[in-house]
Amino acid sequence: MSAQNELKRQAAERAVEYIQSGMVVGLGTGSTAVYAVRRIGALLAEGRLQRIVGIPTADVTAREAEVCGVPLGTLDDHPSVDITIDGADEIDPQLNLIKGLGGALLREKIVAAASRRLVIIADESKRVDQLGTRAPVPVEVVPFARRPAADYLTSLGARVVERQRDGRTFITDEGNVILDCYFPGLANPREMGQLIRAQPGVVEHGLFLGMATEAVIAGARGVVVLER
Ligand code: 5RP
């Protein structure tokens, strides 16, 4: 395992310690969150956790959970989620986030909004002083609106790139496209989030502001827990 993956695993496994038997648990998506799913599965297999219901934030996460033996439910049956453990692409000092480079931002934000606790797990490379300095802001858009939405996002100061995978347009689990918006940093992410949402056809953006309750961050000098 690479050193970075080892840090991802450490952060994920520390966060899983917050889970108690009987909880409804939001299962995040990405290369860090997968370690949490695997750990939950291992604790269930050992009998150290029981009666967990996982709410997956992506089809790929649901498949991983099934492989790991984590029982799954839906927000229809479990509209209140006790805790969600998920990764992030950028984390600022106030625990505001950019998420969605894994393409699951819409379901991730829906599950996060339904959660009493949103625990973010990451290696220390994800910490930034200002959002938008390293990662683009992913914006999920209905395909019909992709051109006017791209023009609008450009007018907000972004360099806009439609997300591709394997040489084709990337399509989300909800059937939409993602426009990755590269800004030269975001001095006011809340205002930018509101401006982005104002455009018809924009379904959601990857700015998660005031949502994370904790961040578990693993670095060379150990694991730290930041609280909002
Ligand atoms: C997926 C996400 C991921 O949580 C985010 O991209 C971090 O992924 P990774 O742990 O692979 O760096 O938001 O939509």
Side-chain angles (χ1 to χ4, degrees), residues 5-168:
N5 283 344
E6 173 57 22
L7 295 178
K8 293 178 183 184
R9 186 190 65 78
Q10 286 175 16
E13 296 196 356
R14 172 71 72 86
V16 169
E17 292 175 11
Y18 294 137
I19 300 174
Q20 294 173 3
S21 292
M23 282 186 166
V24 178
V25 180
L27 305 174
T29 296
S31 62
T32 315
V34 75
Y35 288 112
V37 174
R38 289 176 186 162
R39 181 67 174 164
I40 295 166
L43 293 175
L44 285 166
E46 292 171 19
R48 292 163 62 191
L49 275 181
Q50 295 168 344
R51 293 173 284 105
I52 295 296
V53 177
I55 309 295
T57 53
D59 292 346
V60 66
T61 304
R63 288 195 290 275
E64 182 70 29
E66 280 162 7
V67 168
C68 296
V70 180
L72 296 179
T74 67
L75 288 176
D76 291 342
D77 299 324
H78 304 278
S80 181
V81 177
D82 293 299
I83 183 170
T84 289
I85 298 177
D86 202 352
D89 303 301
E90 287 188 351
I91 305 167
D92 82 3
Q94 288 76 43
L95 305 192
N96 294 315
L97 316 168
I98 290 179
K99 286 182 53 53
L101 290 198
L105 69 100
L106 176 55
R107 291 189 186 176
E108 288 174 335
K109 196 176 275 191
I110 292 167
V111 174
S115 301
R116 279 200 280 273
R117 286 172 83 180
L118 172 60
V119 181
I120 295 301
I121 51 177
D123 66 83
E124 60 189 354
S125 71
K126 304 294 182 64
R127 292 178 78 169
V128 296
D129 290 331
Q130 187 182 70
L131 294 183
T133 43
R134 287 214 305 258
V137 178
V139 179
E140 182 154 343
V141 174
V142 298
F144 186 75
R146 56 173 29 124
R147 177 61 200 266
D151 290 348
Y152 174 74
L153 293 164
T154 302
S155 79
L156 297 181
R159 181 172 65 82
V160 179
V161 179
E162 186 172 288
R163 178 110 30 118
Q164 307 282 308
R165 185 174 286 177
D166 301 327
R168 311 173 81 128

